[in-house]
Amino acid sequence: MYMMVNSLFIIKYGESHGLLFLIGYWIIISGAGVCYLRLSVQEKFYQWCFSSATAVFFIFSLYLNHKVDGYSLNVDRWSAMETGIEAVLDGKYPYDIPDHMGQESSNLPVLILLGMPVYLLFGSVGYLQSFIFLLFSYTVFVLFRTYRQRLGVLLLFVISPAYVWEIYVKSDLASNFIIVAGFSGLVWNRFLARPKIRPESVSVLTALLLLTRLSSVIPAGILLFRKFYLSSAGEKLRFVSVFLVTISVILYLFFSLSPDLHTLLKHNPFFIQGTKQPLWLSVSYIILAFLLSLRIRSLYDVFLFSGILLFICVFIPFILCLAEYGYRATVADSFFDISFFNMSMPFIVITLGMVFLINPDKEKS
């Protein structure tokens, strides 16, 4: 899955040299991967490399955001978020205002709120991706025990053409699911494995998470449904009550800005996000997530199942689009947005680290 997603980006954006770049990429990744798995040096060296790689890529992402003019891009995720932020700050309804490409924003309320601090400080939401990268680095630091493991996972991510593309076009998609991955690690370590935070706090965090992107319900369902299913009736009631109150308050704060009911019904992010796949297909993914949750036994299972299911929910419509329109229209002419594969990438990369970089005889995921 990791190689397929990155290969798609290389072929699409490599233009006439796409095949040559792809062959070179496969050779380099394969060779570097074998060397890294066989290489063994002092832990201090890995620690220095991990810290240096984090700092260098963070600075690189800041530079890239500064140099790239968002208005020259044919990607409007950054523009949709900025349009929404500016509307809310002006007390206007954010979902009926076109962005720089004439599209209405499909950003859910919490995603708009996440972009506000960076926009107010730097004047561009593109820099959000730089700081979310630091969150990924911290998540990797917490989830893995040695710097050899941490560095390997970090390198898999920063040398991914799919992720570098996200930084270049100022897209928040991968960043959104870095947050989801961090949430998964936090809830597993502090709530499911060793209860240190209250269920009500997890309920609030889950509600906030689901109000970033609807598809975040898949990893959240895999992570939490088993615990919810096994809890008492009273615990279920408290969790659901806090969840609904949190959702209601945030939606009211945003939707109350709508000038009338007609505008609210016709222009809202749930309608826009919900039309990207047939409803029955979306519901089937959620049901499958709940079923997979019943098989969860470790954090490894959480990341593995989340990465695979997020990949599948994009792969199926991708294949259907290929069958109907052909390769050129689907990929080259962008009938299908391959960037949606980036939802699964944080989970896939972390899972790869757990598979190849952790010795199962000595360490447990």
Side-chain angles (χ1 to χ4, degrees):
M1 291 185 289
Y2 175 84
M3 296 301 289
M4 176 196 153
V5 173
N6 286 314
S7 297
L8 273 176
F9 276 83
I10 291 173
I11 292 172
K12 179 176 174 63
Y13 295 105
E15 297 179 347
S16 59
H17 302 291
L19 183 59
L20 181 63
F21 290 153
L22 180 62
I23 295 172
Y25 175 76
W26 275 75
I27 293 173
I28 292 171
I29 291 296
S30 300
V34 171
C35 291
Y36 193 87
L37 291 174
R38 294 183 177 180
L39 181 68
S40 181
V41 297
Q42 291 185 349
E43 183 72 358
K44 287 185 178 180
F45 176 77
Y46 289 116
Q47 180 179 359
W48 180 84
C49 289
F50 178 80
S51 302
S52 299
T54 299
V56 168
F57 192 83
F58 175 69
I59 294 171
F60 166 74
S61 67
L62 292 175
Y63 173 79
L64 201 58
N65 271 291
H66 174 71
K67 293 297 291 184
V68 175
D69 179 13
Y71 290 98
S72 67
L73 302 170
N74 289 323
V75 178
D76 65 346
R77 286 200 179 101
W78 69 270
S79 180
M81 182 182 285
E82 285 195 2
T83 299
I85 291 172
E86 291 168 354
V88 171
L89 292 176
D90 290 338
K92 299 177 181 177
Y93 185 62
Y95 297 116
D96 62 343
I97 303 174
D99 58 28
H100 85 283
M101 292 182 65
Q103 304 294 320
E104 294 176 356
S105 174
S106 64
N107 289 288
L108 295 184
V110 173
L111 197 58
I112 292 176
L113 292 176
L114 281 172
M116 276 189 183
V118 175
Y119 177 76
L120 292 173
L121 286 172
F122 300 100
S124 170
V125 297
Y127 294 102
L128 175 65
Q129 319 330 316
S130 302
F131 292 97
I132 297 297
F133 165 72
L134 294 182
L135 174 63
F136 178 80
S137 182
Y138 176 74
T139 300
V140 169
F141 175 84
V142 171
L143 294 180
F144 293 88
R145 297 183 180 181
T146 70
Y147 278 101
R148 178 178 178 273
Q149 299 159 3
R150 294 163 179 163
L151 177 62
V153 175
L154 187 72
L155 290 178
L156 277 173
F157 206 54
V158 301
I159 64 173
S160 164
Y163 180 60
V164 174
W165 179 90
E166 287 272 326
I167 300 294
Y168 181 84
V169 301
K170 311 175 191 291
S171 170
D172 57 81
L173 185 60
S175 295
N176 195 159
F177 284 84
I178 289 173
I179 295 173
V180 178
F183 167 84
S184 299
L186 170 69
V187 170
W188 179 269
N189 290 328
R190 296 300 183 93
F191 178 64
L192 299 176
R194 294 177 295 276
K196 294 183 178 180
I197 56 178
R198 294 180 59 82
E200 292 81 4
S201 299
V202 176
S203 181
V204 171
L205 291 175
T206 305
L208 295 176
L209 193 74
L210 296 187
L211 286 179
T212 57
R213 264 188 176 85
L214 292 178
S215 47
S216 62
V217 70
I218 291 174
I222 290 173
L223 177 69
L224 290 170
F225 180 74
R226 182 173 184 268
K227 175 70 172 178
F228 181 82
Y229 177 77
L230 297 175
S231 64
S232 66
E235 291 172 330
K236 286 185 176 72
L237 180 60
R238 287 197 299 273
F239 189 93
V240 171
S241 298
V242 173
F243 178 86
L244 291 178
V245 168
T246 305
I247 292 281
S248 300
V249 169
I250 295 176
L251 291 183
Y252 173 78
L253 291 175
F254 274 72
F255 289 170
S256 63
L257 298 172
S258 176
D260 51 60
L261 182 60
H262 175 75
T263 301
L264 176 62
L265 294 176
K266 187 176 180 181
H267 305 276
N268 69 81
F270 297 106
F271 175 77
I272 297 173
Q273 290 198 20
T275 56
K276 292 177 180 178
Q277 287 201 45
L279 180 61
W280 68 269
L281 200 54
S282 299
V283 171
S284 68
Y285 298 143
I286 297 173
I287 294 174
L288 184 54
F290 290 163
L291 294 176
L292 288 172
S293 181
L294 299 177
R295 299 179 59 86
I296 294 297
R297 296 296 182 270
S298 67
L299 183 58
Y300 167 78
D301 292 336
V302 172
F303 279 92
L304 175 66
F305 294 159
S306 296
I308 290 175
L309 190 50
L310 284 170
F311 178 86
I312 288 173
C313 76
V314 180
F315 184 71
I316 290 176
F318 174 69
I319 293 299
L320 294 175
C321 192
L322 275 177
E324 183 172 356
Y325 299 107
Y327 167 79
R328 174 164 293 279
T330 299
V331 179
D333 297 335
S334 302
F335 276 31
F336 187 90
D337 187 353
I338 63 172
S339 70
F340 282 111
F341 281 110
N342 283 325
M343 295 190 299
S344 62
M345 289 301 281
F347 292 93
I348 290 172
V349 168
I350 290 172
T351 302
L352 285 172
M354 291 178 172
V355 171
F356 293 106
L357 297 173
I358 291 181
N359 185 342
D361 296 325
K362 295 181 180 180
E363 299 182 47
K364 295 180 181 180
S365 59

